[in-house]
mmCIF file of all heavy atoms in Angstrom:
data_model
loop_
_atom_site.group_PDB
_atom_site.id
_atom_site.type_symbol
_atom_site.label_atom_id
_atom_site.label_comp_id
_atom_site.label_asym_id
_atom_site.label_seq_id
_atom_site.Cartn_x
_atom_site.Cartn_y
_atom_site.Cartn_z
ATOM 1 N N LEU A 1 90.574 83.670 128.896
ATOM 2 C CA LEU A 1 90.063 84.672 129.818
ATOM 3 C C LEU A 1 88.583 84.446 130.111
ATOM 4 O O LEU A 1 87.824 83.977 129.261
ATOM 5 C CB LEU A 1 90.258 86.074 129.253
ATOM 6 C CG LEU A 1 91.695 86.524 129.041
ATOM 7 C CD1 LEU A 1 91.729 87.996 128.625
ATOM 8 C CD2 LEU A 1 92.527 86.319 130.293
ATOM 9 N N TYR A 2 88.192 84.831 131.333
ATOM 10 C CA TYR A 2 86.821 84.687 131.805
ATOM 11 C C TYR A 2 86.353 86.032 132.354
ATOM 12 O O TYR A 2 87.142 86.813 132.890
ATOM 13 C CB TYR A 2 86.742 83.626 132.901
ATOM 14 C CG TYR A 2 87.130 82.243 132.415
ATOM 15 C CD1 TYR A 2 88.476 81.921 132.208
ATOM 16 C CD2 TYR A 2 86.169 81.282 132.148
ATOM 17 C CE1 TYR A 2 88.843 80.660 131.746
ATOM 18 C CE2 TYR A 2 86.530 80.015 131.684
ATOM 19 C CZ TYR A 2 87.868 79.718 131.484
ATOM 20 O OH TYR A 2 88.231 78.476 131.015
ATOM 21 N N VAL A 3 85.049 86.287 132.244
ATOM 22 C CA VAL A 3 84.460 87.506 132.782
ATOM 23 C C VAL A 3 83.384 87.105 133.780
ATOM 24 O O VAL A 3 82.489 86.309 133.453
ATOM 25 C CB VAL A 3 83.844 88.378 131.676
ATOM 26 C CG1 VAL A 3 83.373 89.713 132.262
ATOM 27 C CG2 VAL A 3 84.838 88.622 130.555
ATOM 28 N N LEU A 4 83.469 87.638 135.000
ATOM 29 C CA LEU A 4 82.506 87.339 136.046
ATOM 30 C C LEU A 4 81.561 88.522 136.193
ATOM 31 O O LEU A 4 82.006 89.671 136.323
ATOM 32 C CB LEU A 4 83.214 87.066 137.375
ATOM 33 C CG LEU A 4 83.849 85.679 137.550
ATOM 34 C CD1 LEU A 4 84.954 85.418 136.528
ATOM 35 C CD2 LEU A 4 84.414 85.518 138.965
ATOM 36 N N THR A 5 80.263 88.242 136.162
ATOM 37 C CA THR A 5 79.269 89.313 136.172
ATOM 38 C C THR A 5 78.218 89.048 137.239
ATOM 39 O O THR A 5 78.038 87.926 137.711
ATOM 40 C CB THR A 5 78.564 89.434 134.807
ATOM 41 O OG1 THR A 5 77.853 88.214 134.521
ATOM 42 C CG2 THR A 5 79.557 89.700 133.696
ATOM 43 N N THR A 6 77.488 90.093 137.591
ATOM 44 C CA THR A 6 76.311 89.973 138.433
ATOM 45 C C THR A 6 75.182 90.714 137.748
ATOM 46 O O THR A 6 75.411 91.605 136.926
ATOM 47 C CB THR A 6 76.557 90.534 139.841
ATOM 48 O OG1 THR A 6 75.466 90.186 140.700
ATOM 49 C CG2 THR A 6 76.703 92.042 139.834
ATOM 50 N N ALA A 7 73.950 90.338 138.070
ATOM 51 C CA ALA A 7 72.789 90.975 137.441
ATOM 52 C C ALA A 7 71.947 91.649 138.512
ATOM 53 O O ALA A 7 72.476 92.125 139.515
ATOM 54 C CB ALA A 7 71.993 89.943 136.645
ATOM 55 N N GLU A 8 70.635 91.659 138.334
ATOM 56 C CA GLU A 8 69.750 92.352 139.262
ATOM 57 C C GLU A 8 69.104 91.342 140.205
ATOM 58 O O GLU A 8 68.210 90.599 139.814
ATOM 59 C CB GLU A 8 68.650 93.103 138.496
ATOM 60 C CG GLU A 8 69.174 94.189 137.565
ATOM 61 C CD GLU A 8 69.743 95.380 138.303
ATOM 62 O OE1 GLU A 8 69.687 95.394 139.544
ATOM 63 O OE2 GLU A 8 70.240 96.295 137.643
ATOM 64 N N PRO A 9 69.536 91.281 141.476
ATOM 65 C CA PRO A 9 68.942 90.315 142.399
ATOM 66 C C PRO A 9 67.454 90.550 142.610
ATOM 67 O O PRO A 9 66.730 89.621 142.926
ATOM 68 C CB PRO A 9 69.737 90.518 143.687
ATOM 69 C CG PRO A 9 70.374 91.839 143.565
ATOM 70 C CD PRO A 9 70.592 92.083 142.112
ATOM 71 N N ALA A 10 66.994 91.786 142.434
ATOM 72 C CA ALA A 10 65.572 92.066 142.595
ATOM 73 C C ALA A 10 64.744 91.282 141.589
ATOM 74 O O ALA A 10 63.563 91.015 141.791
ATOM 75 C CB ALA A 10 65.311 93.564 142.438
ATOM 76 N N GLU A 11 65.351 90.903 140.473
ATOM 77 C CA GLU A 11 64.655 90.139 139.448
ATOM 78 C C GLU A 11 64.947 88.649 139.580
ATOM 79 O O GLU A 11 64.645 87.860 138.683
ATOM 80 C CB GLU A 11 65.085 90.635 138.066
ATOM 81 C CG GLU A 11 64.769 92.107 137.837
ATOM 82 C CD GLU A 11 65.333 92.614 136.513
ATOM 83 O OE1 GLU A 11 65.906 91.798 135.763
ATOM 84 O OE2 GLU A 11 65.183 93.810 136.243
ATOM 85 N N GLY A 12 65.545 88.252 140.689
ATOM 86 C CA GLY A 12 65.819 86.850 140.910
ATOM 87 C C GLY A 12 67.035 86.333 140.168
ATOM 88 O O GLY A 12 67.259 85.120 140.117
ATOM 89 N N GLU A 13 67.840 87.208 139.595
ATOM 90 C CA GLU A 13 69.011 86.784 138.844
ATOM 91 C C GLU A 13 70.250 86.827 139.740
ATOM 92 O O GLU A 13 70.303 87.557 140.714
ATOM 93 C CB GLU A 13 69.203 87.686 137.620
ATOM 94 C CG GLU A 13 68.035 87.653 136.661
ATOM 95 C CD GLU A 13 68.263 88.543 135.454
ATOM 96 O OE1 GLU A 13 69.426 88.796 135.127
ATOM 97 O OE2 GLU A 13 67.270 88.973 134.852
ATOM 98 N N THR A 14 71.226 86.016 139.394
ATOM 99 C CA THR A 14 72.449 85.971 140.191
ATOM 100 C C THR A 14 73.647 86.136 139.280
ATOM 101 O O THR A 14 73.536 86.604 138.159
ATOM 102 C CB THR A 14 72.524 84.650 140.969
ATOM 103 O OG1 THR A 14 72.410 83.561 140.052
ATOM 104 C CG2 THR A 14 71.416 84.557 141.992
ATOM 105 N N GLY A 15 74.810 85.727 139.779
ATOM 106 C CA GLY A 15 76.028 85.933 139.025
ATOM 107 C C GLY A 15 76.234 84.896 137.935
ATOM 108 O O GLY A 15 75.534 83.882 137.855
ATOM 109 N N ALA A 16 77.220 85.170 137.091
ATOM 110 C CA ALA A 16 77.543 84.271 135.987
ATOM 111 C C ALA A 16 79.033 84.356 135.690
ATOM 112 O O ALA A 16 79.698 85.344 136.009
ATOM 113 C CB ALA A 16 76.727 84.620 134.748
ATOM 114 N N VAL A 17 79.545 83.304 135.071
ATOM 115 C CA VAL A 17 80.933 83.255 134.624
ATOM 116 C C VAL A 17 80.923 82.950 133.132
ATOM 117 O O VAL A 17 80.320 81.965 132.701
ATOM 118 C CB VAL A 17 81.745 82.186 135.379
ATOM 119 C CG1 VAL A 17 83.182 82.150 134.865
ATOM 120 C CG2 VAL A 17 81.723 82.464 136.883
ATOM 121 N N HIS A 18 81.581 83.795 132.351
ATOM 122 C CA HIS A 18 81.599 83.657 130.901
ATOM 123 C C HIS A 18 83.031 83.508 130.417
ATOM 124 O O HIS A 18 83.924 84.234 130.852
ATOM 125 C CB HIS A 18 80.998 84.893 130.218
ATOM 126 C CG HIS A 18 79.717 85.370 130.827
ATOM 127 N ND1 HIS A 18 78.497 84.811 130.543
ATOM 128 C CD2 HIS A 18 79.474 86.379 131.718
ATOM 129 C CE1 HIS A 18 77.545 85.440 131.225
ATOM 130 N NE2 HIS A 18 78.121 86.398 131.946
ATOM 131 N N ARG A 19 83.263 82.582 129.497
ATOM 132 C CA ARG A 19 84.562 82.441 128.850
ATOM 133 C C ARG A 19 84.562 83.261 127.563
ATOM 134 O O ARG A 19 83.592 83.255 126.811
ATOM 135 C CB ARG A 19 84.837 80.970 128.546
ATOM 136 C CG ARG A 19 86.206 80.707 127.899
ATOM 137 C CD ARG A 19 86.355 79.238 127.514
ATOM 138 N NE ARG A 19 86.440 78.381 128.688
ATOM 139 C CZ ARG A 19 85.707 77.283 128.868
ATOM 140 N NH1 ARG A 19 84.820 76.914 127.966
ATOM 141 N NH2 ARG A 19 85.855 76.560 129.959
ATOM 142 N N ILE A 20 85.663 83.988 127.297
ATOM 143 C CA ILE A 20 85.797 84.753 126.053
ATOM 144 C C ILE A 20 86.328 83.811 124.978
ATOM 145 O O ILE A 20 87.397 83.207 125.139
ATOM 146 C CB ILE A 20 86.733 85.956 126.231
ATOM 147 C CG1 ILE A 20 86.224 86.873 127.354
ATOM 148 C CG2 ILE A 20 86.864 86.740 124.932
ATOM 149 C CD1 ILE A 20 87.174 88.017 127.689
ATOM 150 N N VAL A 21 85.602 83.677 123.871
ATOM 151 C CA VAL A 21 85.971 82.741 122.811
ATOM 152 C C VAL A 21 85.932 83.467 121.467
ATOM 153 O O VAL A 21 85.385 84.565 121.351
ATOM 154 C CB VAL A 21 85.025 81.518 122.797
ATOM 155 C CG1 VAL A 21 85.148 80.725 124.090
ATOM 156 C CG2 VAL A 21 83.577 81.951 122.578
ATOM 157 N N PRO A 22 86.493 82.850 120.410
ATOM 158 C CA PRO A 22 86.486 83.502 119.093
ATOM 159 C C PRO A 22 85.069 83.657 118.568
ATOM 160 O O PRO A 22 84.182 82.863 118.885
ATOM 161 C CB PRO A 22 87.289 82.535 118.205
ATOM 162 C CG PRO A 22 88.088 81.710 119.148
ATOM 163 C CD PRO A 22 87.260 81.594 120.391
ATOM 164 N N PRO A 23 84.837 84.657 117.738
ATOM 165 C CA PRO A 23 83.501 84.858 117.167
ATOM 166 C C PRO A 23 83.186 83.809 116.111
ATOM 167 O O PRO A 23 84.077 83.336 115.407
ATOM 168 C CB PRO A 23 83.587 86.255 116.556
ATOM 169 C CG PRO A 23 85.030 86.411 116.211
ATOM 170 C CD PRO A 23 85.790 85.690 117.295
ATOM 171 N N GLU A 24 81.922 83.457 115.992
ATOM 172 C CA GLU A 24 81.506 82.548 114.934
ATOM 173 C C GLU A 24 81.728 83.174 113.571
ATOM 174 O O GLU A 24 82.037 82.500 112.601
ATOM 175 C CB GLU A 24 80.026 82.189 115.100
ATOM 176 C CG GLU A 24 79.745 81.270 116.271
ATOM 177 C CD GLU A 24 80.247 79.854 116.047
ATOM 178 O OE1 GLU A 24 80.629 79.546 114.894
ATOM 179 O OE2 GLU A 24 80.269 79.080 117.009
ATOM 180 N N SER A 25 81.583 84.490 113.492
ATOM 181 C CA SER A 25 81.716 85.175 112.202
ATOM 182 C C SER A 25 83.107 84.974 111.621
ATOM 183 O O SER A 25 83.281 84.878 110.408
ATOM 184 C CB SER A 25 81.431 86.666 112.363
ATOM 185 O OG SER A 25 82.309 87.248 113.302
ATOM 186 N N ALA A 26 84.128 84.881 112.476
ATOM 187 C CA ALA A 26 85.485 84.698 111.968
ATOM 188 C C ALA A 26 85.632 83.327 111.333
ATOM 189 O O ALA A 26 86.224 83.165 110.267
ATOM 190 C CB ALA A 26 86.496 84.849 113.095
ATOM 191 N N ASN A 27 85.078 82.306 111.991
ATOM 192 C CA ASN A 27 85.149 80.969 111.427
ATOM 193 C C ASN A 27 84.404 80.878 110.102
ATOM 194 O O ASN A 27 84.853 80.267 109.141
ATOM 195 C CB ASN A 27 84.559 79.955 112.417
ATOM 196 C CG ASN A 27 85.304 79.945 113.731
ATOM 197 O OD1 ASN A 27 86.488 80.258 113.765
ATOM 198 N ND2 ASN A 27 84.621 79.599 114.812
ATOM 199 N N GLN A 28 83.213 81.519 110.059
ATOM 200 C CA GLN A 28 82.419 81.469 108.846
ATOM 201 C C GLN A 28 83.095 82.226 107.717
ATOM 202 O O GLN A 28 83.119 81.788 106.578
ATOM 203 C CB GLN A 28 81.025 82.064 109.106
ATOM 204 C CG GLN A 28 80.055 81.911 107.947
ATOM 205 C CD GLN A 28 79.798 80.444 107.610
ATOM 206 O OE1 GLN A 28 79.592 79.630 108.490
ATOM 207 N NE2 GLN A 28 79.844 80.111 106.331
ATOM 208 N N ALA A 29 83.690 83.398 108.073
ATOM 209 C CA ALA A 29 84.344 84.196 107.034
ATOM 210 C C ALA A 29 85.520 83.441 106.434
ATOM 211 O O ALA A 29 85.748 83.465 105.224
ATOM 212 C CB ALA A 29 84.815 85.529 107.617
ATOM 213 N N SER A 30 86.265 82.742 107.298
ATOM 214 C CA SER A 30 87.407 81.998 106.805
ATOM 215 C C SER A 30 86.969 80.880 105.877
ATOM 216 O O SER A 30 87.555 80.642 104.825
ATOM 217 C CB SER A 30 88.195 81.428 107.994
ATOM 218 O OG SER A 30 89.310 80.710 107.530
ATOM 219 N N ALA A 31 85.883 80.188 106.251
ATOM 220 C CA ALA A 31 85.385 79.107 105.414
ATOM 221 C C ALA A 31 84.879 79.642 104.087
ATOM 222 O O ALA A 31 85.128 79.073 103.023
ATOM 223 C CB ALA A 31 84.272 78.361 106.151
ATOM 224 N N ASN A 32 84.156 80.767 104.144
ATOM 225 C CA ASN A 32 83.622 81.349 102.915
ATOM 226 C C ASN A 32 84.737 81.795 101.987
ATOM 227 O O ASN A 32 84.675 81.599 100.772
ATOM 228 C CB ASN A 32 82.725 82.548 103.236
ATOM 229 C CG ASN A 32 81.440 82.122 103.900
ATOM 230 O OD1 ASN A 32 81.083 80.937 103.866
ATOM 231 N ND2 ASN A 32 80.745 83.069 104.518
ATOM 232 N N ALA A 33 85.784 82.415 102.594
ATOM 233 C CA ALA A 33 86.872 82.926 101.767
ATOM 234 C C ALA A 33 87.606 81.782 101.084
ATOM 235 O O ALA A 33 87.977 81.869 99.911
ATOM 236 C CB ALA A 33 87.849 83.727 102.626
ATOM 237 N N SER A 34 87.801 80.684 101.815
ATOM 238 C CA SER A 34 88.502 79.555 101.227
ATOM 239 C C SER A 34 87.715 78.969 100.070
ATOM 240 O O SER A 34 88.266 78.523 99.067
ATOM 241 C CB SER A 34 88.724 78.471 102.293
ATOM 242 O OG SER A 34 89.551 78.968 103.307
ATOM 243 N N ALA A 35 86.378 78.941 100.211
ATOM 244 C CA ALA A 35 85.559 78.351 99.163
ATOM 245 C C ALA A 35 85.409 79.271 97.971
ATOM 246 O O ALA A 35 85.324 78.825 96.828
ATOM 247 C CB ALA A 35 84.176 78.006 99.732
#
């Protein structure tokens, strides 16, 4: 899934496209738990 956003053009910002991905915390927690 992707999320398309817009910001404040008055500040010179434009749109963006973001992919939803797993959190880093989940990967770290799994590694810590295994160890």
Side-chain angles (χ1 to χ4, degrees):
L1 297 186
Y2 297 76
V3 186
L4 282 62
T5 62
T6 190
E8 298 290 357
E11 300 174 3
E13 299 181 25
T14 55
V17 179
H18 314 278
R19 182 185 292 130
I20 302 174
V21 297
E24 288 289 349
S25 58
N27 300 332
Q28 187 61 45
S30 180
N32 290 344
S34 297

